[in-house]
Amino acid sequence: MTETHATTTPGAPVFPPGRYGRRRNPGRRRPWLTAVLLAVALAASGLVTFRLYQQYGDPTYDAQVITYTDITDNQVVVAFRVTVPPGGSAVCLLRARDVDGAEVAREQVTVTAPGDERSITTRHRLATSARPFIGEVVRCRPSS
């Protein structure tokens, strides 16, 4: 069936018959589908956020470098403070880097809070393979 001037609205384009296939009628909108997809996406992103926080964001094992001293060609002494659960212990990863940023030492240190204290302040000497520029605490995690 072809379109005629009587069946088209003024200003609507007139297409040659059979050239563009059948014309689509305006479909029904499904706002509930959009809402369901949005809810699923939010739930998935919340789950990913929760898992990443569990894996990397444990604020009960917080480490702060107080100072790094006694820098020589083959060592650096790192003084740091670790916050742990009361009476807990932590395994901290320390490293030293040279002026260019290359790692010259890396060591894991286990620290334990005396009694029911939450804060541990300690010093550790890192033996280095070259002259260090800085000593750092990379991370602390619960000891196994």
Side-chain angles (χ1 to χ4, degrees):
M1 181 165 174
T2 62
E3 294 180 357
T4 64
H5 294 291
T7 60
T8 60
T9 59
V14 177
F15 300 105
R19 178 139 185 205
Y20 298 104
R22 101 182 149 80
R23 295 188 60 191
R24 257 188 264 168
N25 291 331
R28 247 185 25 183
R29 292 188 152 237
R30 296 187 176 118
W32 59 270
L33 182 62
T34 304
V36 168
L37 290 176
L38 182 63
V40 168
L42 286 174
S45 66
L47 180 64
V48 168
T49 301
F50 179 73
R51 294 286 294 159
L52 287 175
Y53 181 77
Q54 278 185 326
Q55 188 173 358
Y56 297 110
D58 194 355
T60 57
Y61 294 90
D62 183 36
Q64 300 170 341
V65 173
I66 299 170
T67 184
Y68 48 94
T69 58
D70 299 334
I71 296 175
T72 65
D73 287 342
N74 56 6
Q75 80 168 17
V76 62
V77 176
V78 180
F80 60 99
R81 178 181 305 118
V82 182
T83 304
V84 296
S89 63
V91 176
C92 296
L93 180 62
L94 306 178
R95 76 173 173 187
R97 294 188 297 162
D98 65 6
V99 174
D100 297 327
E103 190 174 282
V104 293
R106 175 180 283 252
E107 191 173 338
Q108 284 191 349
V109 179
T110 302
V111 292
T112 304
D116 285 339
E117 292 185 32
R118 289 186 41 95
S119 182
I120 307 163
T121 303
T122 188
R123 294 169 48 96
H124 184 76
R125 184 182 83 76
L126 281 170
T128 62
S129 59
R131 185 170 184 85
F133 177 73
I134 190 170
E136 306 173 305
V137 179
V138 177
R139 71 176 173 271
C140 290
R141 59 180 173 77
S143 61
S144 303

